[in-house]
Amino acid sequence: MTSQPPPMHPGAEAAPTCYRHPERETYVRCQRCERSICPDCMRDAAVGHQCVECVEQGNRSVRPARAMFGGAVVTKPRVTWALLIINVLAYLAEIADPEGVIGRFATWSYGIYQGEWWRLITGAFLHAPLTSSWSLSHILFNMWALYAIGPELERRLGSLRFAALYLLSALGGSVAVYLFGELAVGASGAIYGMFGALFVVSRKLGFDARGVLWLIGINVVLTFVVSGISWQGHLGGLVTGTIVAAAFVYAPRRSRNAVQLSAVVALLAIMAVILLTFPPYGVIA
């Protein structure tokens, strides 16, 4: 004997079931595709509910948020913190072996001329040793400036562009030391590049930039008044950072990435040509 389903009354319809779980009855429909969905397949929407597939399709069509001048939105200034940590760790290594670290990694023009290219960037993460007249004030001022200005610039530019600004400014300062100086250590080239970038960003956004100008002016005067400061590294970083920031900030929106990348590549090429063409200060080719 077999059991038969009860006969349906005339006009009666089968209860709707979830399109993903046919065994479950439901009377809720997706607001986009109108398919029936059970509680496990419901996703909250602005109005009503949507199914899993419609939510995924909608997420793919939504543009990710961008920083003001390109790049992903920065919620935490990770590049700023990473640079701070690298500078502090380098200084601790310098304290442990000042002669070895400075002798091997300082920005030394003749060493660069002899092919020690790493000095162009490693010197920007070293600072005046404890035995010098600057003692701790050198690294403390630079790290305070990085802490105070870095997060704001990173949020405006995006992490990748901020890292490019910092490193290019450091390179610009080192190239200036190579051409017009002899030996230098310190993140001041990168810090001065951030000063220049802060001025450019302030002007672009319509902020009052007089305070930034005063900051730059005072530090430039101190560069030439106080003995033992590498004016080459400071001014080289300032000029480079200002140029990089201008390229990032004033790049047209439609071709922003291409213009910004081209500016970075062009600056790197110019620096390479200078280093390969001209001898350092005091060396006759």
Side-chain angles (χ1 to χ4, degrees):
M1 176 180 281
T2 60
S3 61
Q4 300 290 331
M8 296 182 63
H9 297 289
E13 297 182 357
T17 59
C18 175
Y19 81 101
R20 297 179 70 206
H21 304 96
E23 72 280 1
R24 301 180 185 178
E25 293 185 6
T26 180
Y27 291 90
V28 179
R29 293 179 178 273
C30 172
Q31 294 296 314
R32 293 186 66 181
C33 66
E34 297 188 350
R35 289 182 292 190
S36 298
I37 49 178
C38 69
D40 288 341
C41 300
M42 295 178 190
R43 300 293 184 268
D44 290 333
V47 178
H49 299 85
Q50 294 182 7
C51 66
V52 176
E53 293 178 8
C54 287
V55 170
E56 291 177 351
Q57 292 175 1
N59 289 338
R60 286 195 294 267
S61 64
V62 175
R63 283 187 172 184
R66 310 292 289 178
M68 183 169 294
F69 301 113
V73 169
V74 176
T75 55
K76 295 181 179 179
R78 292 186 173 88
V79 171
T80 300
W81 296 122
L83 291 170
L84 276 164
I85 291 170
I86 293 171
N87 274 279
V88 171
L89 290 177
Y91 195 67
L92 292 177
E94 186 180 324
I95 292 174
D97 183 14
E99 293 185 3
V101 172
I102 293 177
R104 185 63 173 165
F105 298 106
T107 304
W108 181 35
S109 58
Y110 188 72
I112 296 169
Y113 184 64
Q114 294 297 315
E116 297 175 350
W117 301 102
W118 62 86
R119 292 180 180 273
L120 289 165
I121 193 65
T122 56
F125 289 94
L126 302 178
H127 288 83
L130 290 175
T131 55
S132 72
S133 58
W134 285 96
S135 189
L136 286 172
S137 60
H138 191 202
I139 187 171
L140 288 177
F141 172 79
N142 283 341
M143 294 305 98
W144 171 83
L146 178 57
Y147 171 80
I149 302 174
E152 176 66 15
L153 285 176
E154 187 172 349
R155 291 188 179 96
R156 300 287 186 182
L157 298 175
S159 294
L160 183 60
R161 288 160 179 78
F162 173 70
L165 168 75
Y166 187 94
L167 295 176
L168 283 170
S169 299
L171 280 173
S174 295
V175 171
V177 171
Y178 172 84
L179 288 176
F180 308 111
E182 183 179 359
L183 179 68
V185 291
S188 299
I191 298 300
Y192 272 61
M194 289 169 53
F195 290 164
L198 186 62
F199 172 76
V200 172
V201 170
S202 298
R203 292 283 296 176
K204 173 64 176 179
L205 299 179
F207 298 156
D208 188 350
R210 287 177 294 181
V212 183
L213 279 178
W214 274 105
L215 175 66
I216 294 173
I218 291 171
N219 279 278
V220 169
V221 170
L222 290 175
T223 296
F224 290 98
V225 170
V226 180
S227 62
I229 294 180
S230 172
W231 63 265
Q232 301 92 341
H234 287 194
L235 298 189
L238 176 63
V239 172
T240 304
T242 303
I243 294 173
V244 172
F248 285 174
V249 168
Y250 289 98
R253 186 178 296 273
R254 290 186 177 181
S255 55
R256 173 178 287 164
N257 291 340
V259 171
Q260 292 173 340
L261 179 59
S262 298
V264 170
V265 172
L267 276 172
L268 287 173
I270 291 171
M271 292 181 191
V273 169
I274 291 173
L275 293 168
L276 294 172
T277 304
F278 299 98
Y281 175 78
V283 174
I284 300 176

